[in-house]
Amino acid sequence: MAFFPKTAKEKKRLAYMILLLCYIGLEIRMGAKYAAQRDSDFRAFRWDTRTLWRLKTGYTGEAFGEKIQTGSSGFRTPRDCGVRKTTDFRIVTLGDSRTYGFGVENEETYSAVLQKELRERGRDVEVINAGTHGFSAVQCRAQLERMLKYKPDTVVFAPGYNDRRYIITRAPDSSRSFAIIARLRSFVGVLSWSNMFFGMLCEIGERKIKKIKENSPPLDEVFPRVPENTFREELLRAVSICQDNDIQLVFLLVYQDPSAFGLVEQAARYYDEGDPEEAIETIQEAFNTIPNRSYTESRYYLGLSYQKIGNEKKARDAFAEHRATGSLFGESVLRSERSYFMIFYDVAKAHSIPVIDGRAAIVGDVTDPIEAEAVFREEFVDECHYTAEGHRRMGVALAERIDGLLVQ
């Protein structure tokens, strides 16, 4: 028949066309199958060799179910932040999504409140909100180094929550691992334009995570993203950077919701104070009511407590239990909030760094412990993020303290 190829060249051309059509068909099929995985919460961010990820510049869209908006410098601000100061004072706030202000509007973040309060006191000041979702102390310190070009007079440093989380699929945070992972992910991202390649990566990832879930390491072999000793080192590095650049450093302690973590934090305190039996009793009595967000932390301290009293069998059983939360296997909180706050206070005392206690700022003048606890718990939208009123109170407390630190 006339349409069949006769020459070798025509046959080769037909073969190429068939292969191309097969490829296009596979691309369409794989694109439809893995379309949901492409719609990731990471779309507001880009990989970065210094901080692993950072907010994109000039981005407006949604991520994690919330609207995200950044200026041309990649910070949460409706205005552009030039390197050259246009005010007498410049303040930079560094932290995670609680500093960014997850769940509240631009003008409701504690950074925006801080700027408003100081301006009402007659200060010609600009506050740059450089908070970024998921940041640990390692990332905040790296972000601080990047922010030096903006010549801040004061830096508010507020990591803490993500440091205590673990991700089994990744090693603890470090500058070296950030550089390697970011370059690799950027390379993979370029190749992922192909639906076939993206689908292959999804399949490999799902199999890897399934294998880890079926044979995950016990909790006493899992490291948090930033262990206590590394957390201390990062705070000290932040102190040194600020001292070398004549910047006033301020620590802000941003607490998690005691409704989710209070019981387990109490058990951790009993363990730290040498009373493992009380820690075991506290956790076991509330076994069926422990919130999912703090379940893994409860297993960790339960295992440590059983180990302390010599019951290795029950310790191993407790350590073997995981209840991961988040988009990757892991991400559960593993260590006590109190232990990290103690490091804040130790470093602050040794280097005369002002500390703003976020809980005290929110509770205010309420002296009755029960009433104060109730007031505090009202200002959470989830296990760690605050309402607009919670941000307002922290911003006011920061303004009161920082106002006296600003020197013409």
Side-chain angles (χ1 to χ4, degrees):
M1 298 180 69
F3 59 85
F4 280 110
K6 297 181 176 58
T7 67
K9 186 176 181 181
E10 290 176 341
K11 290 178 181 179
K12 185 182 291 186
R13 185 182 301 160
L14 178 62
Y16 285 148
M17 289 181 64
I18 292 173
L19 287 174
L20 178 60
L21 289 172
C22 288
Y23 173 76
I24 293 173
L26 285 171
E27 281 286 313
I28 294 172
R29 182 176 179 182
M30 296 293 274
K33 182 177 180 180
Y34 294 100
Q37 282 92 324
R38 282 192 181 277
D39 187 27
S40 167
D41 286 327
F42 199 76
R43 57 185 174 273
F45 307 85
R46 64 183 179 88
W47 298 106
D48 183 83
T49 56
R50 295 176 66 179
T51 57
L52 189 55
W53 62 79
R54 61 186 300 190
L55 286 163
K56 290 179 179 177
T57 57
Y59 178 85
T60 299
E62 284 196 0
F64 308 106
E66 295 287 340
K67 182 180 178 181
I68 289 181
Q69 179 182 6
T70 66
S72 61
S73 301
F75 308 126
R76 181 175 192 177
T77 174
R79 65 187 184 282
D80 294 330
C81 300
V83 173
R84 183 174 178 273
K85 285 197 294 187
T86 57
T87 56
D88 291 339
F89 303 102
R90 175 172 274 174
I91 299 171
V92 169
T93 56
L94 293 169
D96 49 37
S97 56
R98 301 174 299 179
T99 293
Y100 171 88
F102 181 82
V104 299
E105 299 298 324
N106 285 336
E107 68 276 7
E108 295 174 332
T109 66
Y110 76 73
S111 302
V113 174
L114 170 61
Q115 177 175 281
K116 177 176 177 290
E117 288 288 319
L118 288 175
R119 286 183 175 180
E120 289 179 353
R121 294 165 185 254
R123 297 290 191 179
D124 183 27
V125 63
E126 174 191 29
V127 178
I128 299 176
N129 181 352
T132 307
H133 307 67
F135 264 22
S136 67
V138 179
Q139 291 167 301
C140 287
R141 184 266 311 152
Q143 184 82 317
L144 169 59
E145 293 173 338
R146 174 177 283 134
M147 297 303 295
L148 292 178
K149 67 182 180 180
Y150 290 93
K151 305 295 182 183
D153 300 284
T154 303
V155 165
V156 178
F157 203 72
Y161 183 75
N162 296 294
D163 303 76
R164 300 178 292 109
R165 300 166 83 176
Y166 70 93
I167 302 178
I168 292 180
T169 54
R170 183 165 66 77
D173 288 16
S174 71
S175 298
R176 182 175 181 275
S177 69
F178 288 171
I180 295 172
I181 295 170
R183 291 190 180 100
L184 179 61
R185 293 303 296 261
S186 296
F187 175 71
V188 169
V190 171
L191 296 180
S192 292
W193 65 269
S194 165
N195 291 327
M196 287 181 60
F197 186 80
F198 182 79
M200 181 181 68
L201 290 177
C202 288
E203 291 292 336
I204 293 173
E206 288 173 6
R207 291 176 185 177
K208 179 181 179 181
I209 289 183
K210 181 181 178 182
K211 183 177 180 181
I212 292 174
K213 285 185 175 180
E214 292 173 349
N215 189 29
S216 57
L219 289 173
D220 59 333
E221 295 180 10
V222 174
F223 293 98
R225 285 181 55 188
V226 183
E228 285 94 329
N229 61 330
T230 305
F231 189 77
R232 183 184 298 275
E233 291 171 1
E234 292 300 329
L235 294 189
L236 290 171
R237 290 179 70 180
V239 170
S240 179
I241 292 168
C242 288
Q243 288 177 342
D244 291 345
N245 291 275
D246 196 26
I247 298 170
Q248 173 65 62
L249 180 63
V250 176
F251 288 153
L252 172 63
L253 308 188
V254 187
Y255 287 72
Q256 61 197 7
D257 185 1
S259 300
F261 294 96
L263 184 143
V264 178
E265 286 291 323
Q266 183 60 54
R269 180 186 288 268
Y270 285 137
Y271 173 80
D272 291 339
E273 294 175 350
D275 195 352
E277 292 88 353
E278 190 66 29
I280 292 170
E281 184 178 346
T282 300
I283 295 172
Q284 294 291 45
E285 284 184 352
F287 179 76
N288 293 321
T289 60
I290 295 175
N292 186 57
R293 287 291 184 179
S294 61
Y295 183 82
T296 297
E297 185 181 356
S298 76
R299 300 301 94 188
Y300 176 70
Y301 282 101
L302 186 63
L304 290 181
S305 298
Y306 274 127
Q307 242 180 13
K308 197 76 171 179
I309 65 174
N311 193 330
E312 193 62 31
K313 171 64 170 60
K314 288 190 175 181
R316 300 324 306 168
D317 290 343
F319 286 141
E321 294 187 71
H322 291 259
R323 187 175 294 176
T325 57
S327 57
L328 296 174
F329 183 60
E331 294 198 271
S332 293
V333 170
L334 184 65
R335 300 287 173 84
S336 165
E337 175 181 60
R338 175 174 164 268
S339 63
Y340 282 71
F341 282 172
M342 289 176 64
I343 296 172
F344 263 119
Y345 278 115
D346 287 345
V347 173
K349 183 179 180 180
H351 297 276
S352 300
I353 306 298
V355 179
I356 306 299
D357 186 289
R359 186 184 188 280
I362 290 173
V363 170
D365 297 330
V366 179
T367 56
D368 179 73
I370 297 177
E371 186 180 350
E373 184 74 0
V375 169
F376 185 55
R377 293 186 181 211
E378 287 179 356
E379 301 308 328
F380 286 90
V381 296
D382 56 23
E383 76 280 355
C384 66
H385 297 105
Y386 290 84
T387 64
E389 177 61 18
H391 275 272
R392 187 193 69 79
R393 296 183 186 184
M394 287 194 293
V396 170
L398 278 167
E400 290 176 353
R401 189 63 179 274
I402 291 176
D403 184 41
L405 300 174
L406 296 178
V407 179
Q408 266 323 108

